[in-house]
Amino acid sequence: MPETLRIFVSATNDLEAERAAIGQILAELPVQVGVESRRSPLTGLSYDNLFELVANVDRFYFLLGQDITAPAGAEWLLAIQLERSILPLRLAASRTAAGQEFLRYWPLRWKSFQNRGHLAQLIGQDLIEILLHPTNRYGLSVTEVAALHAHKKKLSAGFVADVDEPGGAGGGGILLDPTHRDA
């Protein structure tokens, strides 16, 4: 049975629009798979709730802007502790002293992005790599695999949809293909 792709998107407060654009990136993938996009609730976040949201995701995206802000720092630490697959992305911009210290303390292979379009390109390519898992965890058809390869080439060439006006499931959500919907 195909698995649902589960992602968690953590972002500092200045990158809220970039976080929201990820829903559009997911919707534009040329496949019919179930996807669950998670984020911390805007209010009422407890450690237990955060643990449940982060514990079983396939990918943890961390978007760092100019400063490290709450709850992004707590989300980051929990993802590290739970040994989640993290893709750390940082805006190519100047940082506050706290933001600089955060980067110094966590000297990982950060990927820099210039704008929402560049971020869409990086995350789109990463999502395609995840979906093309060698054991076909997400139940892709041969046609979908070919479509993903073609979409990846377009992304590599810099062709991304306009993500200047983010919308969609900014608060997290589940995108299901027609074969996975409950009647």
Side-chain angles (χ1 to χ4, degrees):
M1 179 157 188
E3 295 181 28
T4 298
L5 173 62
R6 291 178 176 84
I7 65 170
F8 188 98
V9 183
S10 177
T12 55
N13 293 340
D14 57 334
L15 295 180
E16 201 55 43
E18 283 75 3
R19 179 200 326 244
I22 293 173
Q24 182 180 348
I25 297 163
L26 285 165
E28 291 171 357
L29 290 173
V31 294
Q32 297 290 314
V33 296
V35 179
E36 186 177 338
S37 178
R38 300 175 178 183
R39 65 165 294 170
S40 292
L42 298 176
T43 59
L45 178 66
S46 70
Y47 179 81
D48 290 339
N49 290 346
L50 182 57
F51 184 92
E52 196 165 311
L53 289 170
V54 173
N56 67 347
V57 294
D58 298 303
R59 175 65 97 193
F60 184 95
Y61 292 104
F62 186 82
L63 312 178
L64 177 65
Q66 294 179 329
D67 194 11
I68 186 67
T69 57
E75 294 165 349
W76 171 266
L77 288 174
L78 186 56
I80 293 283
Q81 291 170 352
L82 294 174
E83 300 177 351
R84 297 293 73 204
S85 175
I86 301 171
L87 179 58
L89 300 145
R90 65 179 180 188
L91 178 64
S94 61
R95 286 192 219 309
T96 65
Q100 290 173 8
E101 184 64 17
F102 183 83
L103 282 174
R104 189 187 68 73
Y105 189 77
W106 297 104
L108 302 174
R109 291 184 152 192
W110 289 84
K111 288 190 176 186
S112 292
F113 64 94
Q114 304 296 322
N115 51 42
R116 273 186 223 133
H118 188 210
L119 178 66
Q121 181 183 26
L122 294 172
I123 290 182
Q125 290 172 324
D126 185 67
L127 286 167
I128 290 170
E129 286 299 317
I130 292 169
L131 289 169
L132 292 174
H133 192 273
T135 62
N136 197 14
R137 292 173 55 187
Y138 306 102
L140 301 176
S141 69
V142 174
T143 305
E144 288 174 319
V145 169
L148 280 176
H149 284 293
H151 194 67
K152 185 176 180 183
K153 283 182 184 177
K154 283 175 39 181
L155 289 175
S156 296
F159 296 111
V160 291
D162 184 15
V163 290
D164 289 334
E165 297 294 330
I174 300 173
L175 305 169
L176 294 176
D177 73 274
T179 62
H180 290 86
R181 295 176 199 226
D182 292 330

